[in-house]
Amino acid sequence: MKRMLIGLLLLLTAGCAPYSRVSGNATISELGIEAALPDGWYRANRVTDALLITKDGFPLQFIRIERVEHDKELQFTKRKFSPGMPPHDVAELEADNLRSATGISNFELLDNRPVIIGGLQGFRLDFQWRTSDGLRVKRTHYGFMKDKWVYRIVYHA
């Protein structure tokens, strides 16, 4: 009886694992995106508003793909995007928001340049900072605006 209960418990919790191994293409219809995922990485299963994957664990390194509505307040500056905003202005708002984040010091914008993403005008930001624990972090942040959405593709290490 005890073995049967343990087996049933394992069966019920198997679908609740916090991470699952990924490879190939992933379609996330809620976000309106499709992405080729690197082999050997892991997806955070409990994140519902983005695609979040890591190879070595959070917060050491991750890739996050998400979208936000243009009229939603940014977390740290409370500013909003405007419809039809040029990619350079979207990039400046993104950089200002990160610069204002709690726990970040010595923020340094290394590069801000226009790029084409899927045929759309976008931007690439490269920056680094130190966490409150003194860890140096680098991030590459791609983004573009389409319709009422701002799409973000972030590599953090």
XYZ file of all heavy atoms in Angstrom, residues 41-113:
602
model
N 19.451 22.804 -23.179
C 19.008 23.862 -22.266
C 17.733 23.405 -21.572
O 17.123 22.403 -21.955
C 18.767 25.152 -23.033
C 20.029 25.859 -23.422
C 21.089 25.320 -24.102
C 20.362 27.211 -23.170
N 22.055 26.267 -24.276
C 21.637 27.437 -23.718
C 19.713 28.254 -22.547
C 22.266 28.668 -23.649
C 20.338 29.487 -22.482
C 21.603 29.682 -23.024
N 17.322 24.159 -20.554
C 16.141 23.824 -19.771
C 15.173 24.996 -19.748
O 15.587 26.136 -19.605
C 16.536 23.455 -18.335
C 17.366 22.198 -18.276
C 18.747 22.258 -18.418
C 16.758 20.958 -18.124
C 19.509 21.096 -18.387
C 17.511 19.802 -18.092
C 18.887 19.876 -18.225
O 19.633 18.731 -18.211
N 13.900 24.664 -19.855
C 12.848 25.687 -19.844
C 12.199 25.738 -18.461
O 11.922 24.700 -17.857
C 11.786 25.341 -20.874
C 10.651 26.336 -20.914
C 9.641 26.001 -21.969
N 8.598 27.019 -21.982
C 7.615 27.045 -22.842
N 7.526 26.114 -23.767
N 6.721 27.997 -22.793
N 11.959 26.943 -17.985
C 11.231 27.131 -16.731
C 9.753 26.918 -17.037
O 9.146 27.694 -17.771
C 11.481 28.527 -16.175
N 9.176 25.866 -16.487
C 7.795 25.487 -16.802
C 6.756 26.370 -16.136
O 5.637 26.471 -16.612
C 7.544 24.035 -16.396
C 8.337 23.074 -17.246
O 8.616 23.344 -18.406
N 8.729 21.955 -16.658
N 7.101 26.989 -15.033
C 6.101 27.754 -14.284
C 5.995 29.209 -14.727
O 5.196 29.956 -14.191
C 6.404 27.671 -12.793
C 6.243 26.250 -12.294
C 6.458 26.139 -10.826
N 6.286 24.750 -10.418
C 6.975 24.181 -9.470
N 7.881 24.863 -8.803
N 6.776 22.923 -9.167
N 6.793 29.616 -15.688
C 6.723 30.974 -16.228
C 5.701 30.960 -17.362
O 5.860 30.221 -18.325
C 8.104 31.446 -16.743
C 8.003 32.802 -17.398
C 9.109 31.460 -15.610
N 4.660 31.761 -17.249
C 3.595 31.731 -18.244
C 3.570 32.951 -19.159
O 2.948 32.912 -20.206
C 2.219 31.617 -17.556
O 2.058 32.727 -16.677
C 2.100 30.311 -16.783
N 4.261 34.032 -18.780
C 4.207 35.252 -19.584
C 5.421 35.412 -20.487
O 5.599 36.455 -21.108
C 4.058 36.477 -18.686
C 5.242 36.655 -17.744
O 6.004 35.695 -17.538
O 5.393 37.761 -17.197
N 6.283 34.376 -20.574
C 7.496 34.464 -21.381
C 8.039 33.068 -21.628
O 7.644 32.108 -20.967
C 8.547 35.302 -20.666
N 8.955 32.974 -22.570
C 9.751 31.768 -22.747
C 11.054 32.037 -22.020
O 11.778 32.986 -22.350
C 10.013 31.501 -24.229
C 10.991 30.372 -24.535
C 10.434 29.032 -24.062
C 11.305 30.325 -26.012
N 11.361 31.238 -21.012
C 12.542 31.432 -20.186
C 13.324 30.134 -20.154
O 12.806 29.109 -19.703
C 12.135 31.860 -18.777
C 13.246 32.171 -17.792
C 14.123 33.312 -18.285
C 12.643 32.512 -16.429
N 14.572 30.174 -20.683
C 15.407 28.976 -20.726
C 16.787 29.274 -20.152
O 17.233 30.420 -20.148
C 15.527 28.401 -22.154
C 16.172 29.404 -23.115
C 14.175 27.945 -22.679
C 16.455 28.858 -24.501
N 17.444 28.225 -19.667
C 18.783 28.354 -19.117
C 19.575 27.084 -19.397
O 18.992 26.016 -19.586
C 18.753 28.624 -17.598
O 20.082 28.839 -17.130
C 18.131 27.467 -16.837
N 20.870 27.205 -19.417
C 21.732 26.027 -19.537
C 22.369 25.698 -18.191
O 22.447 24.546 -17.796
C 22.823 26.246 -20.577
C 23.699 25.023 -20.747
C 24.652 25.144 -21.900
C 25.553 23.949 -21.916
N 25.370 23.086 -23.018
N 22.815 26.714 -17.482
C 23.562 26.515 -16.238
C 22.796 26.916 -14.994
O 23.316 26.798 -13.900
C 24.876 27.295 -16.294
C 25.746 26.826 -17.450
O 25.857 25.608 -17.635
O 26.292 27.682 -18.165
N 21.598 27.439 -15.136
C 20.784 27.801 -13.979
C 20.587 29.296 -13.837
O 21.396 30.093 -14.276
N 19.458 29.639 -13.232
C 19.126 31.029 -12.955
C 19.787 31.418 -11.652
O 19.891 30.594 -10.749
C 17.605 31.186 -12.822
C 16.852 30.681 -14.027
C 16.206 29.461 -13.989
C 16.804 31.413 -15.187
C 15.520 28.989 -15.093
C 16.121 30.948 -16.293
C 15.482 29.734 -16.245
N 20.213 32.594 -11.425
C 20.242 33.738 -12.339
C 21.567 33.869 -13.084
O 21.870 34.923 -13.611
C 20.041 34.908 -11.394
C 20.762 34.516 -10.157
C 20.576 33.018 -10.057
N 22.395 32.801 -13.100
C 23.705 32.893 -13.755
C 23.594 33.251 -15.224
O 24.331 34.093 -15.721
C 24.472 31.579 -13.615
C 24.919 31.218 -12.212
C 25.610 29.860 -12.220
C 25.841 32.295 -11.658
N 22.692 32.579 -15.925
C 22.563 32.852 -17.342
C 21.205 32.361 -17.818
O 20.699 31.369 -17.331
C 23.745 32.197 -18.047
C 23.541 31.650 -19.380
C 23.231 30.161 -19.336
O 22.512 29.678 -18.492
N 23.759 29.448 -20.275
N 20.594 33.139 -18.732
C 19.297 32.742 -19.277
C 19.020 33.482 -20.570
O 19.654 34.481 -20.886
C 18.158 32.989 -18.269
C 17.954 34.430 -17.874
C 17.223 35.295 -18.669
C 18.498 34.913 -16.693
C 17.031 36.621 -18.292
C 18.301 36.226 -16.305
C 17.571 37.080 -17.109
N 18.060 32.957 -21.302
C 17.469 33.638 -22.454
C 15.990 33.783 -22.130
O 15.339 32.829 -21.711
C 17.652 32.839 -23.760
C 19.133 32.723 -24.118
C 16.866 33.498 -24.901
C 19.407 31.788 -25.292
N 15.488 34.996 -22.317
C 14.070 35.268 -22.048
C 13.485 35.941 -23.280
O 14.018 36.936 -23.766
C 13.916 36.177 -20.832
C 12.483 36.465 -20.463
C 12.409 37.336 -19.199
N 11.050 37.650 -18.866
C 10.331 37.019 -17.945
N 10.867 36.034 -17.259
N 9.089 37.374 -17.701
N 12.366 35.398 -23.766
C 11.634 35.986 -24.879
C 10.250 36.323 -24.347
O 9.562 35.471 -23.791
C 11.536 35.022 -26.072
C 12.931 34.604 -26.544
C 10.750 35.664 -27.210
C 12.936 33.523 -27.601
N 9.868 37.576 -24.507
C 8.590 38.021 -23.966
C 8.032 39.160 -24.807
O 8.713 39.699 -25.677
C 8.755 38.490 -22.523
C 9.642 39.709 -22.387
C 9.939 40.085 -20.943
O 9.241 39.611 -20.035
O 10.876 40.859 -20.733
N 6.806 39.502 -24.530
C 6.205 40.687 -25.135
C 5.386 41.396 -24.070
O 4.839 40.762 -23.166
C 5.364 40.346 -26.350
C 4.076 39.642 -26.030
C 3.253 39.382 -27.278
N 1.973 38.809 -26.885
C 1.038 38.470 -27.720
N 1.215 38.634 -29.017
N -0.099 37.967 -27.293
N 5.341 42.710 -24.189
C 4.546 43.522 -23.275
C 3.721 44.496 -24.101
O 4.150 44.941 -25.166
C 5.423 44.301 -22.251
C 6.146 43.356 -21.328
C 6.402 45.217 -22.948
N 2.543 44.818 -23.597
C 1.712 45.802 -24.291
C 2.366 47.167 -24.189
O 2.939 47.518 -23.162
C 0.307 45.831 -23.697
C -0.502 44.626 -24.106
C -1.968 44.781 -23.785
O -2.675 45.471 -24.553
O -2.371 44.209 -22.766
N 2.273 47.927 -25.276
C 2.963 49.220 -25.328
C 2.459 50.196 -24.261
O 3.196 51.076 -23.837
C 2.845 49.846 -26.724
C 1.473 50.342 -27.048
N 0.525 49.540 -27.609
C 0.900 51.556 -26.863
C -0.588 50.239 -27.775
N -0.384 51.458 -27.333
N 1.226 50.035 -23.805
C 0.702 50.992 -22.821
C 0.847 50.516 -21.369
O 0.312 51.132 -20.453
C -0.751 51.335 -23.128
C -1.669 50.125 -23.084
O -1.177 48.979 -22.950
O -2.893 50.313 -23.189
N 1.616 49.445 -21.143
C 1.861 48.963 -19.782
C 3.068 49.708 -19.198
O 4.078 49.888 -19.861
C 2.149 47.459 -19.810
C 2.339 46.867 -18.439
C 2.586 45.373 -18.517
C 2.823 44.843 -17.127
N 3.184 43.442 -17.126
N 2.936 50.125 -17.944
C 4.045 50.839 -17.292
C 5.251 49.931 -17.127
O 5.115 48.768 -16.745
C 3.627 51.330 -15.902
C 2.721 52.516 -15.910
C 2.431 53.031 -14.501
O 2.800 52.371 -13.512
O 1.836 54.116 -14.410
N 6.426 50.482 -17.414
C 7.655 49.742 -17.172
C 7.896 49.628 -15.671
O 7.530 50.526 -14.901
C 8.830 50.426 -17.867
C 8.738 50.423 -19.397
C 9.812 51.305 -20.005
C 8.850 49.013 -19.928
N 8.507 48.552 -15.260
C 8.605 48.205 -13.840
C 9.293 49.250 -12.977
O 8.838 49.563 -11.891
C 9.332 46.869 -13.699
C 9.426 46.384 -12.276
C 10.104 45.026 -12.174
O 10.551 44.464 -13.155
N 10.174 44.513 -10.967
N 10.401 49.819 -13.439
C 11.195 50.686 -12.566
C 11.020 52.173 -12.838
O 11.179 52.987 -11.944
C 12.675 50.300 -12.654
C 12.907 48.865 -12.266
C 13.222 47.921 -13.220
C 12.765 48.461 -10.954
C 13.418 46.600 -12.862
C 12.954 47.134 -10.583
C 13.282 46.203 -11.546
N 10.702 52.564 -14.072
C 10.543 53.990 -14.375
C 9.078 54.412 -14.456
O 8.787 55.600 -14.467
C 11.201 54.350 -15.719
O 10.558 53.598 -16.762
C 12.687 54.094 -15.702
N 8.177 53.448 -14.567
C 6.730 53.702 -14.704
C 6.386 54.431 -16.001
O 5.272 54.898 -16.181
C 6.165 54.492 -13.504
C 6.448 53.852 -12.162
C 5.872 52.467 -12.064
C 6.143 51.862 -10.698
N 6.049 50.423 -10.695
N 7.352 54.532 -16.912
C 7.094 55.138 -18.217
C 6.432 54.112 -19.128
O 6.445 52.921 -18.847
C 8.398 55.652 -18.819
C 8.982 56.790 -17.967
C 10.334 57.226 -18.421
N 10.291 57.806 -19.751
C 11.373 58.039 -20.487
N 12.570 57.768 -20.008
N 11.268 58.561 -21.684
N 5.874 54.587 -20.251
C 5.184 53.717 -21.198
C 5.713 53.957 -22.602
O 6.212 55.041 -22.913
C 3.681 54.002 -21.193
C 2.988 53.709 -19.899
C 1.507 54.053 -20.012
C 0.786 53.827 -18.702
N -0.647 54.133 -18.822
N 5.550 52.945 -23.451
C 5.865 53.083 -24.867
C 4.693 53.768 -25.552
O 3.568 53.710 -25.071
C 6.086 51.710 -25.508
C 7.204 50.932 -24.886
C 6.946 49.887 -24.019
C 8.527 51.245 -25.159
C 7.972 49.166 -23.441
C 9.559 50.536 -24.577
C 9.283 49.486 -23.715
N 4.974 54.410 -26.696
C 3.922 55.038 -27.485
C 3.788 54.285 -28.800
O 4.783 53.838 -29.360
C 4.281 56.492 -27.800
O 4.444 57.231 -26.618
N 2.558 54.149 -29.303
C 2.381 53.468 -30.596
C 3.200 54.161 -31.686
O 3.277 55.386 -31.730
C 0.884 53.611 -30.871
C 0.260 53.920 -29.558
C 1.309 54.629 -28.752
N 3.841 53.378 -32.528
C 4.628 53.932 -33.624
C 5.960 54.521 -33.208
O 6.635 55.183 -34.000
N 6.356 54.309 -31.980
C 7.621 54.838 -31.467
C 8.790 54.247 -32.263
O 8.815 53.049 -32.511
C 7.724 54.453 -29.989
C 8.905 55.004 -29.256
S 8.827 54.484 -27.505
C 8.278 56.012 -26.788
N 9.764 55.072 -32.682
C 10.919 54.546 -33.421
C 11.749 53.600 -32.541
O 11.803 53.770 -31.320
C 11.741 55.787 -33.774
C 10.904 56.961 -33.434
C 9.808 56.522 -32.534
N 12.398 52.598 -33.149
C 13.175 51.625 -32.383
C 14.218 52.251 -31.460
O 14.424 51.772 -30.349
C 13.847 50.773 -33.460
C 12.964 50.898 -34.642
C 12.388 52.283 -34.582
N 14.845 53.342 -31.887
C 15.858 53.977 -31.039
C 15.236 54.494 -29.735
O 15.833 54.371 -28.668
C 16.565 55.111 -31.792
C 17.642 55.764 -30.982
N 18.855 55.159 -30.767
C 17.671 56.934 -30.300
C 19.597 55.940 -29.995
N 18.903 57.027 -29.703
N 14.030 55.055 -29.820
C 13.351 55.556 -28.622
C 12.897 54.411 -27.712
O 12.962 54.523 -26.493
C 12.152 56.423 -29.010
C 12.577 57.736 -29.667
O 13.769 58.088 -29.590
O 11.704 58.399 -30.259
N 12.454 53.304 -28.321
C 12.092 52.122 -27.533
C 13.326 51.631 -26.784
O 13.262 51.318 -25.589
C 11.509 51.008 -28.434
C 11.264 49.732 -27.637
C 10.223 51.466 -29.104
N 14.468 51.588 -27.470
C 15.724 51.143 -26.844
C 16.107 52.048 -25.684
O 16.539 51.569 -24.624
C 16.839 51.118 -27.884
N 15.947 53.356 -25.851
C 16.286 54.295 -24.770
C 15.401 54.080 -23.540
O 15.890 54.108 -22.414
C 16.163 55.743 -25.265
C 17.264 56.165 -26.207
C 18.634 56.172 -25.547
O 18.748 56.551 -24.370
O 19.602 55.776 -26.223
N 14.109 53.846 -23.757
C 13.210 53.562 -22.632
C 13.602 52.270 -21.927
O 13.598 52.209 -20.698
C 11.760 53.464 -23.116
C 10.872 54.620 -22.712
C 11.034 55.760 -23.678
C 9.450 54.168 -22.652
N 13.952 51.247 -22.695
C 14.373 49.965 -22.114
C 15.641 50.163 -21.281
O 15.728 49.666 -20.156
C 14.643 48.934 -23.215
C 13.413 48.514 -23.966
C 12.584 47.468 -23.249
O 11.730 47.864 -22.441
O 12.791 46.271 -23.486
N 16.623 50.875 -21.827
C 17.882 51.106 -21.106
C 17.633 51.926 -19.838
O 18.187 51.611 -18.770
C 18.892 51.808 -22.009
N 16.808 52.969 -19.920
C 16.495 53.786 -18.732
C 15.810 52.956 -17.653
O 16.090 53.118 -16.465
C 15.599 54.971 -19.106
C 16.346 56.064 -19.844
O 17.592 56.050 -19.837
O 15.672 56.926 -20.440
N 14.929 52.066 -18.067
C 14.232 51.221 -17.103
C 15.218 50.310 -16.368
O 15.163 50.177 -15.148
C 13.144 50.401 -17.799
C 12.263 49.685 -16.823
O 11.654 50.290 -15.947
N 12.207 48.372 -16.951
N 16.135 49.709 -17.109
C 17.125 48.830 -16.475
C 18.097 49.614 -15.602
O 18.495 49.157 -14.535
C 17.872 48.041 -17.539
C 17.011 46.961 -18.183
C 17.622 46.484 -19.482
C 16.811 45.802 -17.228
N 18.480 50.777 -16.065
C 19.380 51.640 -15.289
C 18.757 51.991 -13.935
O 19.456 52.164 -12.948
C 19.666 52.909 -16.094
C 20.748 53.782 -15.547
C 20.997 54.994 -16.450
N 21.706 54.617 -17.657
C 21.244 54.744 -18.906
N 20.039 55.244 -19.115
N 21.955 54.383 -19.939
N 17.426 52.051 -13.872
C 16.707 52.427 -12.658
C 16.365 51.239 -11.761
O 15.792 51.428 -10.694
C 15.401 53.136 -13.034
O 15.666 54.280 -13.803
N 16.691 50.036 -12.201
C 16.318 48.837 -11.436
C 17.033 48.788 -10.092
O 18.177 49.225 -9.963
C 16.650 47.584 -12.247
N 16.339 48.243 -9.109
C 16.945 48.089 -7.789
C 17.980 46.963 -7.846
O 17.830 46.003 -8.589
C 15.874 47.742 -6.734
O 15.154 46.600 -7.183
C 14.917 48.882 -6.529
N 19.038 47.119 -7.077
C 20.082 46.102 -7.020
C 21.114 46.195 -8.123
O 21.981 45.342 -8.243
N 21.036 47.248 -8.938
C 21.991 47.432 -10.033
C 22.858 48.646 -9.732
O 22.354 49.711 -9.394
C 21.264 47.627 -11.387
C 20.631 46.319 -11.822
C 22.200 48.158 -12.445
C 19.902 46.395 -13.149
N 24.168 48.470 -9.866
C 25.078 49.610 -9.726
C 26.096 49.554 -10.852
O 26.292 48.515 -11.484
C 25.775 49.583 -8.365
O 26.584 48.433 -8.236
N 26.730 50.662 -11.111
C 27.734 50.776 -12.180
C 27.173 50.340 -13.535
O 27.850 49.662 -14.308
C 28.989 49.972 -11.848
C 29.674 50.459 -10.593
O 29.510 51.600 -10.181
N 30.422 49.575 -9.963
N 25.940 50.738 -13.819
C 25.318 50.412 -15.109
C 26.118 51.074 -16.224
O 26.404 52.261 -16.170
C 23.872 50.898 -15.139
C 23.148 50.570 -16.418
C 22.441 49.391 -16.533
C 23.183 51.438 -17.495
C 21.764 49.083 -17.707
C 22.520 51.145 -18.673
C 21.804 49.957 -18.776
N 26.469 50.294 -17.238
C 27.234 50.827 -18.364
C 26.620 50.327 -19.662
O 26.595 49.120 -19.931
C 28.688 50.374 -18.255
C 29.568 50.924 -19.339
C 31.010 50.434 -19.230
O 31.338 49.689 -18.284
O 31.803 50.786 -20.117
N 26.123 51.252 -20.471
C 25.594 50.919 -21.790
C 26.773 50.805 -22.738
O 27.489 51.774 -22.967
C 24.609 51.989 -22.258
C 23.937 51.755 -23.602
C 23.113 50.473 -23.591
C 23.054 52.943 -23.963
N 27.011 49.611 -23.262
C 28.158 49.363 -24.135
C 27.836 49.622 -25.600
O 28.718 50.015 -26.365
C 28.636 47.909 -23.960
C 28.985 47.491 -22.533
C 29.232 45.990 -22.461
C 30.177 48.285 -22.024
N 26.583 49.379 -26.001
C 26.213 49.538 -27.408
C 24.704 49.696 -27.522
O 23.950 49.056 -26.782
C 26.671 48.313 -28.205
C 26.613 48.514 -29.708
O 26.542 49.678 -30.167
O 26.644 47.516 -30.439
N 24.270 50.557 -28.419
C 22.863 50.744 -28.748
C 22.820 50.973 -30.243
O 23.247 52.016 -30.723
C 22.286 51.946 -27.994
C 20.831 52.210 -28.341
O 20.235 51.537 -29.167
N 20.267 53.213 -27.708
N 22.341 49.958 -30.975
C 22.349 50.089 -32.432
C 21.082 49.510 -33.049
O 20.456 48.615 -32.475
C 23.568 49.433 -33.023
C 23.638 47.958 -32.800
C 24.903 47.385 -33.382
N 25.458 46.447 -32.420
C 26.166 45.405 -32.761
N 26.465 45.182 -33.999
N 26.616 44.583 -31.853
